[in-house]
């Protein structure tokens, strides 16, 4: 009798929601990539790569960061570099690109669950059209990367020969567009600080990837629709302010810089300042030695890294639209308005609350990580807390710039930075919701609210 009851009882497996699927999908891709990179076939010396270093590299590639504990050029052979490039592409466009390609190539019908995950991955409000949007993203990304590859080939092929130059053009075009920051030169783009052509091409790829696919769709269809969505307007405005403002401030803070080539022209110096403003937003390439940068320049770089790129792009960080919503809310409040208003539109209160929550959690996380790393890591006598602060904002913003800490990280430090890169790429709220949300309970709580009471502010 007991046995028959046991047989009738069904074992219910916990259901994985779309937001949890995204978080687990990125984690699974990182672990698989890290496991593969440990194999001797991918290293130059034919030796097994320590798992912590392989995991760090895989996380940096999937999370399109660019921080590395081993030099990409010196440690990995061609196959290792190719594997890293594949992880960058998948991580930059989102790991959901794989099932989409499968469904498209074999003409399979995309199920409802896959569409729900796509909706969550693209961070769009409606499920209708998500498949069409995803296919547009793939086509747009391929087109931009091919254009970038051709433009870079004009510089790399004459310098390195056809085979090596073409491979360098492919690698850096994909890495730049995905805002990954991995390079095959050993010193990033320091050797190109007197080559405005390469710096501007790389800058264009970084901006294209960090601006967001939805924004680019609005721009491309603007001649037909003659209007931009509020999301695109805010993204373009904040991006322009950060690029122009960052360039001007770098010109002012680094006017006496000694790390640029002595024979650099005024235009070349300006291009380097512009490049610093672009790459600090989430790319990770560098044409100057950040160890020699002024304190004001380092602080400005940290601010830009914390903001990052635009929502729905290959970039990480707080996001330009989040900052834009906060600024709009502040200006509206100072004008005595009850709601955040911009361009004759009212931003939904839920979006403002989400932006405030994201800003608070992100800043708290970064400050806490700075404190922990200041305990686990050794700060050189010639440096201060900026040595660690720079690394933390770089990892959270999935930027990839370093003041020299990454190669010297302890095992605990590597694990902390791995976690920070993961959170920065997947998203603070995505990780938080995947850990704290309990479907049924959340729905029950939404049916009522507690009595209101005021708190004195300011």
């Amino acid at each position: 009798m007991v046995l028959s009851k046991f047989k009738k009882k069904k074992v219910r497996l916990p259901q994985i929601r779309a937001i949890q699927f995204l978080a687990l999908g990125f984690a699974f891709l990182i672990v698989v990539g890290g496991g593969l990179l440990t194999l001797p076939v991918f290293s130059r010396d034919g030796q097994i790569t320590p798992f912590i270093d392989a995991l760090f590299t895989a996380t940096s590639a999937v999370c399109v960061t660019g921080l590395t504990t081993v030099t990409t050029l010196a440690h990995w052979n061609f196959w290792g570099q190719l594997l890293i490039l594949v992880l960058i592409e998948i991580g930059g466009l989102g790991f959901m690109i794989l099932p989409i390609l499968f469904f498209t190539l074999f003409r399979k019908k995309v199920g409802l669950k896959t569409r729900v995950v796509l909706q969550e991955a693209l961070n769009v409000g409606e499920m209708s059209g998500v498949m069409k949007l995803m296919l547009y993203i793939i086509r747009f990304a391929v087109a931009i990367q091919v254009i970038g590859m051709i433009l870079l080939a004009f510089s790399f092929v004459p310098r390195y020969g056809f085979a090596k130059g073409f491979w360098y053009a492919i690698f850096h075009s994909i890495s730049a567009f995905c805002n990954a920051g991995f390079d095959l030169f050993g010193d990033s783009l320091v050797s190109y600080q007197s080559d405005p052509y390469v710096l501007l091409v790389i800058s264009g790829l970084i901006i294209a990837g960090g601006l967001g696919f939805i924004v680019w769709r609005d721009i491309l269809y603007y001649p037909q629709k003659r209007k931009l969505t509020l999301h695109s307007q805010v993204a373009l405005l904040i991006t322009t302010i950060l690029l122009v403002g960052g360039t001007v401030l770098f010109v002012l803070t680094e006017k006496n810089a000694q790390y640029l080539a002595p024979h650099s022209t005024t235009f070349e110096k300006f291009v380097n300042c512009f490049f610093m403003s672009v790459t600090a937003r989430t790319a990770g390439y560098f044409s100057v030695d950040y160890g020699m940068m002024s304190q004001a320049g380092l602080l400005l770089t940290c601010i830009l890294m914390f903001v990052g790129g635009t929502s729905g792009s290959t970039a990480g960080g707080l996001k330009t639209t989040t900052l834009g919503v906060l600024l709009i809310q502040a200006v509206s409040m100072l004008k005595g308005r009850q709601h955040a208003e911009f361009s004759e539109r009212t931003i939904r209160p839920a979006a403002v609350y989400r932006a405030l929550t994201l800003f608070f959690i992100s800043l708290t996380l970064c400050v806490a990580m700075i404190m922990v790393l200041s305990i686990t890591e050794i700060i050189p006598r010639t440096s201060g807390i900026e040595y660690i602060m720079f690394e933390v904002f770089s990892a959270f913003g999935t930027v990839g710039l370093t003041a020299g800490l990454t190669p010297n990280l302890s095992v605990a430090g590597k694990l902390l930075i791995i976690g920070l890169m993961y959170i920065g790429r997947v998203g603070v709220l995505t990780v938080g919701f995947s850990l704290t949300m309990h479907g049924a309970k959340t729905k029950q709580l939404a049916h009522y609210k507690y009595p209101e009471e005021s708190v004195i502010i300011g």
Side-chain angles (χ1 to χ4, degrees), residues 418-451:
I418 285 173
L420 199 54
M421 289 190 292
Y422 174 76
I423 294 174
R425 177 65 184 98
V426 178
V428 172
L429 297 183
T430 300
V431 175
F433 287 153
S434 64
L435 294 175
T436 60
M437 284 179 64
H438 305 284
K441 294 182 180 180
T442 304
K443 293 179 181 178
Q444 293 174 3
L445 291 174
H447 290 298
Y448 66 90
K449 70 173 184 177
Y450 295 106

Side-chain angles (χ1 to χ4, degrees), residues 152-416:
L152 290 176
F154 282 119
S155 176
F156 293 161
V157 169
R159 181 175 299 196
Y160 300 105
F162 181 80
K164 186 176 181 180
F166 195 67
W167 167 240
Y168 275 28
I170 295 173
F171 188 95
H172 292 93
S173 177
I174 294 175
S175 181
F177 176 78
C178 292
N179 287 202
F182 280 81
D183 72 276
L184 299 179
F185 303 117
D187 61 349
S188 194
L189 297 177
V190 173
S191 57
Y192 286 90
Q193 63 178 222
S194 297
D195 191 338
Y197 175 80
V198 171
L199 294 182
L200 289 176
V201 171
I202 294 292
S203 296
L205 288 167
I206 293 169
I207 294 172
L211 192 56
F213 303 108
I214 296 176
V215 176
W216 276 112
R217 184 183 62 174
D218 281 355
I219 293 174
L220 294 175
Y221 282 100
Y222 181 78
Q224 301 176 15
K225 297 183 177 180
R226 308 302 298 177
K227 68 175 183 178
L228 295 173
T229 62
L230 185 62
H231 167 82
S232 296
Q233 292 181 49
V234 174
L236 288 171
L237 176 63
I238 300 300
T239 298
T240 303
I241 291 174
L242 292 175
L243 286 176
V244 176
T247 302
V248 172
L249 289 175
F250 275 124
V251 169
L252 295 175
T253 62
E254 309 307 308
K255 59 183 178 181
N256 297 320
Q258 301 297 320
Y259 44 71
L260 291 175
H263 57 276
S264 297
T265 64
T266 302
F267 178 70
E268 289 172 352
K269 291 179 180 179
F270 177 81
V271 170
N272 276 273
C273 289
F274 173 72
F275 187 76
M276 284 189 278
S277 179
V278 172
T279 193
R281 295 276 311 294
T282 188
Y285 283 116
F286 59 91
S287 61
V288 300
D289 183 0
Y290 280 86
M292 299 177 65
M293 183 177 283
S294 67
Q295 294 295 317
L298 289 175
L299 179 60
L300 174 59
T301 304
C302 287
I303 294 172
L304 293 174
M305 290 193 296
F306 180 69
V307 175
T310 301
S311 299
S313 70
T314 60
L318 182 70
K319 302 296 192 302
T320 56
T321 45
T322 304
L323 176 63
V325 169
L326 294 177
L327 291 176
I328 292 169
Q329 173 62 35
V331 172
S332 299
M333 181 172 290
L334 291 175
K335 289 182 177 180
R337 298 173 182 173
Q338 294 183 347
H339 303 286
E341 299 173 357
F342 178 76
S343 187
E344 299 182 350
R345 293 289 186 273
T346 298
I347 299 176
R348 294 171 181 170
V352 178
Y353 300 152
R354 188 182 181 97
L356 288 168
T357 302
L358 181 58
F359 176 78
F360 175 77
I361 295 177
S362 299
L363 190 58
T364 302
L365 176 65
C366 288
V367 171
M369 197 64 67
I370 291 171
M371 294 181 65
V372 175
L373 284 173
S374 65
I375 298 173
T376 62
E377 308 307 308
I378 299 175
I379 301 177
R381 293 183 178 180
T382 56
S383 304
I385 194 65
E386 75 279 356
Y387 182 70
I388 290 176
M389 182 176 71
F390 196 89
E391 202 84 8
V392 168
F393 283 118
S394 178
F396 173 76
T398 66
V399 179
L401 296 176
T402 179
L405 175 60
T406 303
N408 302 313
L409 283 170
S410 63
V411 174
K414 290 177 183 177
L415 292 173
L416 290 171

Side-chain angles (χ1 to χ4, degrees), residues 40-47 72-78 81:
V41 69
F42 295 114
S43 62
R44 283 191 181 277
D45 58 7
Q47 300 296 318
T72 306
L73 175 64
H75 185 82
W76 308 106
N77 59 20
F78 170 78
Q81 295 168 9

